[in-house]
Amino acid sequence: EEEPELPSIWKVTLYRVLQEACRNVIKHANASRLEIILSYEEGKLKLAVKDNGNGFDMTGGTEDSKKQVHSFGLSMMKERVKLLGGTIQIQSVVGEGTTVCVEVPLQEKEDVRG
C-alpha cells in the first residue's frame, strides 16, 4: 500500500519526537537493543520506540523516577504529539525497558498543515 504524503510540519514534529525518544534511550536506558517501528493502519500513523534497557518506575515512587516521569524531554514529546491531534503512551518496567507509542490521525488538521 502506498504511504500517505504527510505535511512537512508533521514530518518534522514526528522526527523530533523520535529523536528525543532515541536520545533518552542513549542517555538513560543502558540498552543493548533499540527497535523503531513505523506503520500506517486504520487511518493512523503509528510510531513505536522500544528498548531493553533499565526502564524506570512510572508511578514516580522515588525522587529519581519523579524526575524521569516529568522530564522536560517527555513533556515536549507529549506536547508535540498533542499538536498533531495524536496520543502518546509511555510504558516502562524497571529492569525490562521502555516503550514509547505514538498514534497520529492521518486526517489533516487546519492548524498543523505545512
Side-chain angles (χ1 to χ4, degrees), residues 22-111:
C22 290
R23 182 180 297 131
N24 286 342
V25 172
I26 292 166
K27 187 174 179 180
H28 302 292
N30 195 30
S32 64
R33 191 181 89 247
L34 172 66
E35 182 178 2
I36 300 169
I37 302 166
L38 180 65
S39 62
Y40 301 95
E41 42 190 86
E42 300 173 13
K44 295 179 183 179
L45 178 142
K46 294 183 179 186
L47 171 66
V49 180
K50 302 177 183 183
D51 71 68
N52 67 343
N54 300 332
F56 60 94
D57 178 9
M58 293 291 295
T59 64
T62 66
E63 196 60 37
D64 190 43
S65 65
K66 284 179 188 174
K67 288 179 187 176
Q68 288 179 310
V69 170
H70 300 291
S71 76
F72 180 72
L74 291 179
S75 296
M76 288 306 298
M77 287 170 52
K78 290 175 183 178
E79 188 62 30
R80 287 176 189 264
V81 171
K82 182 179 175 183
L83 288 171
L84 297 181
T87 60
I88 184 169
Q89 293 182 329
I90 301 168
Q91 299 172 330
S92 189
V93 177
V94 175
E96 294 183 23
T98 302
T99 301
V100 176
C101 293
V102 174
E103 287 189 11
V104 178
L106 290 175
Q107 299 82 9
E108 293 184 27
K109 291 180 65 162
E110 289 294 322
D111 57 336

